[in-house]
Amino acid sequence: MPGTIVMASPDFYEVAYTINPWMKPDIWAEDREAALARAKAQWGELARALGEAGMTVEVVPAHPGLPDLVFPANAAVVLDGRALLARFRYPERRGEEARFLAFFEELKTRGLLAEVRQMPAGLFQEGAGDCLWDATRDLFWAAYGPRSAAESVAYIRSFFGTEVVGLELATDRFYHLDTCFCVLSGGEIMYYPPALSPASQALVEARVPAERRIVATEDEAGAFSLNAVTIGRDLFMAPPPTRLRRLLEERGYRCRPFDLSAFVLSGGGAFCMTLRLDLASKAGRSRAAG
Ligand code: ARG
């Protein structure tokens, strides 16, 4: 079944400030024009490939002064046609809230969403970047720590009425869950365990049997290989290191590497640059069928 995915125009993208340890405004500033041209080309390649994979790509317009708008994974958590819109930790990104609200309201008008709600003001939660749907287990993995607040976990649970496992992020380097944790379509979890607190590592181990855990190294996570868009067995990602690529291929996945270096310079990869609108819970699917 073809899906719908949101991307956001890179037209005003830049690395202008530092709110995570990956962000390098100095490198960006060395040659802004070339950097932007590279970003646009990289974005275009990813968008085209997702389109060719059967996705309908909905594009959020860019806005001057909001460079990180290009990462719509942080815009909302979406399930069963219902969108819960983010509240950003850093003032640098808060201007995106109104833009995303307008965009999602329009999606609702067009019938692509049934419901749009913002997180309560002041309750930080950075969208799907910190809240990953696990269709195999019919639950969300929802992180808190550097960006999202611990209290957001209970709010997500009550809004969606699904099981939500809260995971504490233990480092600044892996500041969003999607930088260190990836849910694969066959039910495997590919992750970098030390990015999670010991108690949260134990929560993952309790729910995911060892043979379904793909443990990545810090370098593999640092290559943004876990920040992948998964469409069936295809993984759209920044070029993965050889060991990880082999592990994935042995399990029947196909790595689709993209040069996303212009976005890694801001701490983002393929997953951050997208947001799926078509995820569904088991209950949502049976409601739709009945
Ligand atoms: N510069 C952005 C920030 O720090 C990058 C966001 C990447 N998105 C993600 N889902 N990890 O917020």
Side-chain angles (χ1 to χ4, degrees):
M1 212 188 80
T4 308
I5 200 160
V6 173
M7 292 183 74
S9 162
D11 286 358
F12 292 110
Y13 173 62
E14 60 178 333
V15 185
Y17 47 75
T18 306
I19 56 171
N20 74 56
W22 304 91
M23 295 182 82
K24 304 275 165 23
D26 300 353
I27 297 186
W28 183 271
E30 279 167 16
D31 189 344
R32 297 173 167 282
E33 229 167 280
L36 182 58
R38 202 164 51 240
K40 286 182 183 171
Q42 292 176 0
W43 188 97
E45 290 289 311
L46 181 63
R48 193 160 53 91
L50 292 173
E52 283 169 8
M55 287 281 143
T56 302
V57 182
E58 295 285 343
V59 181
V60 186
H63 194 74
L66 297 175
D68 280 340
L69 193 80
V70 81
F71 299 114
N74 298 123
V77 181
V78 182
L79 185 74
D80 296 333
R82 304 174 67 223
L84 183 56
L85 269 59
R87 295 291 188 178
F88 288 91
R89 167 84 57 181
Y90 289 106
E92 286 86 342
R93 294 200 66 177
R94 284 192 199 140
E96 296 174 37
E97 292 173 10
R99 300 279 143 192
F100 283 130
L101 180 60
F103 181 80
F104 280 86
E105 290 291 359
E106 195 204 304
L107 292 178
K108 191 175 142 196
T109 308
R110 289 169 51 205
L112 288 168
L113 290 173
E115 188 180 345
V116 173
R117 191 199 294 181
Q118 284 185 296
M119 290 291 294
L123 181 48
F124 301 131
Q125 201 289 322
E126 299 201 351
D130 261 345
C131 187
L132 301 173
W133 179 245
D134 185 332
T136 302
R137 296 174 186 82
D138 206 42
L139 58 77
F140 277 119
W141 300 98
Y144 57 94
R147 298 295 182 88
S148 302
E151 298 73 37
S152 68
V153 174
Y155 196 89
I156 293 167
R157 192 178 288 129
S158 70
F159 180 76
F160 289 104
T162 54
E163 186 180 357
V164 182
V165 182
L167 298 176
E168 183 179 12
L169 293 174
T171 72
D172 282 337
R173 190 158 195 241
F174 301 105
Y175 62 98
H176 276 144
L177 187 62
D178 65 4
T179 63
C180 59
F181 197 99
C182 180
V183 181
L184 300 179
S185 59
E188 299 93 337
I189 299 289
M190 165 166 75
Y191 72 133
Y192 173 57
L196 305 175
S197 71
S200 296
Q201 292 177 37
L203 288 178
V204 175
E205 288 159 16
R207 283 190 165 69
V208 184
E211 68 275 11
R212 283 181 137 186
R213 287 181 235 140
I214 302 177
V215 173
T217 65
E218 176 158 18
D219 285 349
E220 288 160 352
F224 280 79
S225 304
L226 311 193
N227 198 262
V229 177
T230 65
I231 300 178
R233 293 261 154 192
D234 279 2
L235 308 179
F236 298 75
M237 48 160 60
T242 314
R243 187 202 76 110
L244 189 66
R245 182 176 193 143
R246 228 177 267 136
L247 280 181
L248 288 165
E249 285 171 355
E250 274 164 22
R251 290 181 182 253
Y253 292 97
R254 188 155 71 113
C255 294
R256 308 278 312 269
F258 290 84
D259 178 7
L260 299 173
S261 51
F263 299 96
V264 172
L265 213 54
S266 188
F271 185 91
C272 307
M273 295 165 68
T274 63
L275 178 68
R276 288 292 288 263
L277 293 184
D278 55 345
L279 301 176
S281 67
K282 288 190 179 131
R285 274 197 299 275
S286 61
R287 266 196 306 276

